Amino acid sequence: MAITLGIIGFGGMGGWHARNACKVPGITVKGAYDIDPVRVQAARDEGLVGYDTLEALLGDKEINTVLVATPNDKHPELAIAAMDAGKNCISEKPVAMTVAELDQMIEAGRRNGVIFTVHQNRRWDKDFVTAKTVIESGDLGQIFTIQSRLHGTGGTVFGWRGEVEHGGGMLFDWGVHFLDQMYYMCGYDTFTDVYCQFSRVKTEAVEDYLILTLNTNKGYRVIIEIGTFLLHDTPRWLIGGEKGTCYIQNFDAKEGAVITANAKEEDEPVIIMTSAGPTRTFSPRPAGSKLYAPLPQVDPQWTDFYANVDAAIQGKEELIVQPWQVRKVLCCIEACFTSAKTGEVVKL
Amino acid sequence: MAITLGIIGFGGMGGWHARNACKVPGITVKGAYDIDPVRVQAARDEGLVGYDTLEALLGDKEINTVLVATPNDKHPELAIAAMDAGKNCISEKPVAMTVAELDQMIEAGRRNGVIFTVHQNRRWDKDFVTAKTVIESGDLGQIFTIQSRLHGTGGTVFGWRGEVEHGGGMLFDWGVHFLDQMYYMCGYDTFTDVYCQFSRVKTEAVEDYLILTLNTNKGYRVIIEIGTFLLHDTPRWLIGGEKGTCYIQNFDAKEGAVITANAKEEDEPVIIMTSAGPTRTFSPRPAGSKLYAPLPQVDPQWTDFYANVDAAIQGKEELIVQPWQVRKVLCCIEACFTSAKTGEVVKL
């Protein structure tokens, strides 16, 4: 059984799925429903079936899988409706705004015997797969810090992503991606607690800057920092280990390196002068005493997400994005909100 | 009364003071005492009086001011002895390892009617004064993050700085400087709590990496990160405000800028593609839409530290480095140790 997809919500992401999922062998995108008739027409203009009602889409026997790509607050209701109509369901991220809602979604999948998953597409981001490959290589030795950063320069949060009631804010928008990456990479029993803080720099209603620390039971610490307005470039990834450092500058993983120390490390550092005093600990490493290795070449294919869902529906593969995994991440997100509100570290 | 200085502890910092304090008008460096006779001889070799005992130095009527530049654990005992001998006293940083000890030192200054201060020389660091000038200019608008970072590449903590019993570790070595800078810049009633974490990356006994968050009652947050082994360059300062961003790359403040957004900020950003999906929030700012202003030119003179102590002894100036200020910072350091141990946020 190949996927015949119906899309609920034909905004930016819904349209993007329509134009890209169809490139995956075995996936047919049949049509879309949106509460906005203009968008239903837009779907028709792209050669899809435009459904005027949710019932019409869910009643289409050809559709066996529904993608929910609405504002975040509508994911649970629509996903449950789709699964109760016997469809497999892919929810956009964040799957839900509370764990309680997610549990209802998971239960709907179980009782209807359908596949339920979440579009955590950034597991296929090139920068992330590169970072994961470097960390798993062991080249950095025991890691002490993993820093995942993304700073926009526009200062803008778009549309409903700026509204609390629709699940706006950076934690739900990008925090969920970066947390999902960390759990997927570091393991689902690795994180012990979280400390998370928000700022509202240029957006009134929701956090447009966040920084969080995830502590682990494996001797390192994870920092995730996301904002919409910082005008100096920072590396997307900075990973520090006892043997070396890796940085990955951007999403495309073109700029970056795995830097290790060569034998000159053992040289006695000279004392250097700053304007107000000397330092030996922070004297620069002698020229040539850092070894730069290129980043490993990886070529993740986002289309594997849909190929996997298709294979899972056919019983040929385990889902890559498992509901219990997104539940772990959503528990962490709830803890982040609690931490940001109380100013305390929250156990996971 | 000009300063005639006697130095207790003629190691790296003691020798540095001897060679530099003497450049300040009004300051005479008379001699030094060290528990190690080799270092006493080294002082003599530099043309100073070498005292074989502490009593000999403290008994020298010409010396009116004593600098304590020993390992950290000896500062209180020696500073108190100096003040009880009627000398003004300058302690190296960290002034003490506990607030209780510092209180005894402050009391010794009071009861003997002498000047007591601490060599928080990094208030005169060029990078710091530049950052302070930028922040106070208001050019960045409301600040949301101040990040003060320093990463060494050698991975080495030298001598007694690697030993717990002598007050080793990065928090006492450099943390005290960066905290002192923050309190001095942001105000002594600004910080509300602290969250601090340690790693031991390449040093067994003490932390050689730390990261801490200071929360404020002024709408921003401070991060201090210090380590001895990260091989990718990070800016010494990164300051984010609602109107722009400042970065200062190094101690010398040569590389850096105050970056603000020009009118093109209002342009509608395009949606960009990453390998696994689109983003609009994180599309790059159009070329030319960042305005780069040079860093303000500042020229702090470390010698002002000694000039001020000299003027304070003469009753002409207030001390720049006040005991109550270093007490605030030491309270914060105690809170940092508590936080690092308990994993909790600690109120200040």
Side-chain angles (χ1 to χ4, degrees), chain A residues 41-54:
Chain A
Q41 186 56 47
R44 289 184 187 123
D45 294 345
E46 294 200 23
L48 303 177
V49 175
Y51 301 94
D52 292 315
T53 65
L54 176 63

Side-chain angles (χ1 to χ4, degrees), chain A residues 151-185:
Chain A
H151 289 292
T153 55
T156 308
V157 174
F158 294 95
W160 59 263
R161 289 178 175 81
E163 295 163 15
V164 174
E165 62 272 28
H166 295 305
M170 265 305 122
L171 184 54
F172 276 141
D173 194 12
W174 278 82
V176 67
H177 280 307
F178 290 2
L179 287 169
D180 181 74
Q181 290 179 342
M182 286 297 174
Y183 272 87
Y184 186 59
M185 176 167 69

Side-chain angles (χ1 to χ4, degrees), chain A residues 302-317:
Chain A
W302 163 81
T303 48
D304 286 350
F305 171 78
Y306 269 104
N308 168 255
V309 176
D310 190 55
I313 288 172
Q314 298 179 58
K316 295 179 183 170
E317 288 181 16

Side-chain angles (χ1 to χ4, degrees), chain A residues 12-13 16 20 119 121-127 142 144-145 147 149-159 161 170 173-174 193-195 197-199 201-202 209 211 213 215 219-221 223 225-235 238-247 249 251 259-261 265 268-269 272-285 290 292 300-302 342-345 347, chain B residues 12-13 16 20 119 121-127 142 144-145 147 149-159 161 170 173-174 193-195 197-199 201-202 209 211 213 215 219-221 223 225-235 238-247 249 251 259-261 265 268-269 272-285 290 292 300-302 342-345 347:
Chain A
M13 281 309 295
W16 185 82
N20 289 279
H119 186 235
N121 52 316
R122 296 201 176 277
R123 293 190 191 180
W124 285 268
D125 265 341
K126 193 162 183 174
D127 61 275
Q142 169 68 44
F144 64 94
T145 187
Q147 306 191 359
R149 274 196 183 79
L150 185 63
H151 289 292
T153 55
T156 308
V157 174
F158 294 95
R161 289 178 175 81
M170 265 305 122
D173 194 12
W174 278 82
D193 58 47
V194 67
Y195 181 53
Q197 298 173 290
F198 292 159
S199 291
V201 178
K202 293 173 90 78
Y209 170 86
I211 185 163
T213 301
N215 291 299
Y220 58 87
R221 205 167 289 118
I223 293 172
E225 185 182 27
I226 309 171
T228 65
F229 190 70
L230 198 82
L231 301 179
H232 183 60
D233 292 340
T234 55
L238 185 63
I239 306 158
E242 54 164 353
K243 292 185 182 169
T245 302
C246 173
Y247 80 101
Q249 195 65 24
F251 281 126
I259 315 170
T260 50
E265 180 182 359
E268 184 72 5
I272 61 157
M273 294 305 308
T274 69
S275 67
T279 176
R280 184 164 48 168
T281 310
F282 295 101
S283 70
R285 180 167 280 272
K290 290 189 210 174
Y292 287 79
Q301 298 296 326
W302 163 81
T342 62
E344 300 293 340
V345 179
K347 294 265 178 286
Chain B
M13 282 309 296
W16 185 82
N20 289 279
H119 186 236
N121 52 316
R122 298 203 174 274
R123 293 190 191 180
W124 285 268
D125 263 342
K126 193 162 183 174
D127 61 275
Q142 169 67 44
F144 64 94
T145 187
Q147 307 190 359
R149 273 194 185 82
L150 184 61
H151 290 292
T153 55
T156 308
V157 173
F158 294 95
R161 289 177 175 82
M170 267 303 122
D173 193 13
W174 278 83
D193 58 47
V194 68
Y195 181 53
Q197 299 171 290
F198 293 159
S199 293
V201 178
K202 291 171 92 79
Y209 170 88
I211 184 163
T213 302
N215 291 300
Y220 58 88
R221 205 166 292 119
I223 293 171
E225 185 182 27
I226 309 171
T228 64
F229 189 71
L230 198 82
L231 301 178
H232 182 61
D233 291 342
T234 56
L238 184 63
I239 307 158
E242 53 164 354
K243 291 183 182 171
T245 303
C246 174
Y247 80 100
Q249 195 65 24
F251 281 126
I259 315 170
T260 50
E265 182 182 357
E268 183 72 6
I272 61 154
M273 294 305 307
T274 68
S275 67
T279 176
R280 184 163 51 168
T281 310
F282 295 100
S283 70
R285 179 166 280 273
K290 290 189 209 172
Y292 286 80
Q301 297 297 326
W302 163 80
T342 62
E344 299 294 339
V345 179
K347 295 264 176 287

Side-chain angles (χ1 to χ4, degrees), chain B residues 108-144:
Chain B
R110 277 196 197 121
R111 73 171 168 259
N112 293 295
V114 296
I115 291 287
F116 169 52
T117 189
V118 182
H119 186 236
Q120 293 295 167
N121 52 316
R122 298 203 174 274
R123 293 190 191 180
W124 285 268
D125 263 342
K126 193 162 183 174
D127 61 275
F128 166 64
V129 178
T130 304
K132 186 168 183 287
T133 303
V134 169
I135 289 169
E136 290 170 357
S137 74
D139 290 348
L140 302 180
Q142 169 67 44
I143 305 288
F144 64 94

Side-chain angles (χ1 to χ4, degrees), chain A residues 12 21 34 37 61 77 83 92 115 144 151 192 207 232 236 240 267 300 305 314 337:
Chain A
D34 198 291
K61 301 290 183 199
E77 172 191 338
M83 290 187 277
E92 257 301 339
I115 292 286
F144 64 94
H151 289 292
T192 54
E207 80 284 357
H232 183 60
R236 172 72 186 83
D267 284 2
F305 171 78
Q314 298 179 58
F337 278 115

Side-chain angles (χ1 to χ4, degrees), chain A residues 58-115:
Chain A
L58 295 182
D60 187 327
K61 301 290 183 199
E62 278 188 17
I63 291 174
N64 63 3
T65 306
V66 165
L67 168 75
V68 179
T70 61
N72 299 336
D73 55 320
K74 298 298 182 195
H75 293 170
E77 172 191 338
L78 293 166
I80 291 168
M83 290 187 277
D84 282 344
K87 314 297 190 190
N88 302 296
C89 181
I90 303 166
S91 172
E92 257 301 339
K93 42 55 59 179
V95 62
M97 289 159 60
T98 66
V99 173
E101 287 175 307
L102 172 57
D103 284 343
Q104 293 175 23
M105 298 165 89
I106 291 172
E107 172 53 27
R110 277 195 196 122
R111 73 171 168 258
N112 292 296
V114 295
I115 292 286

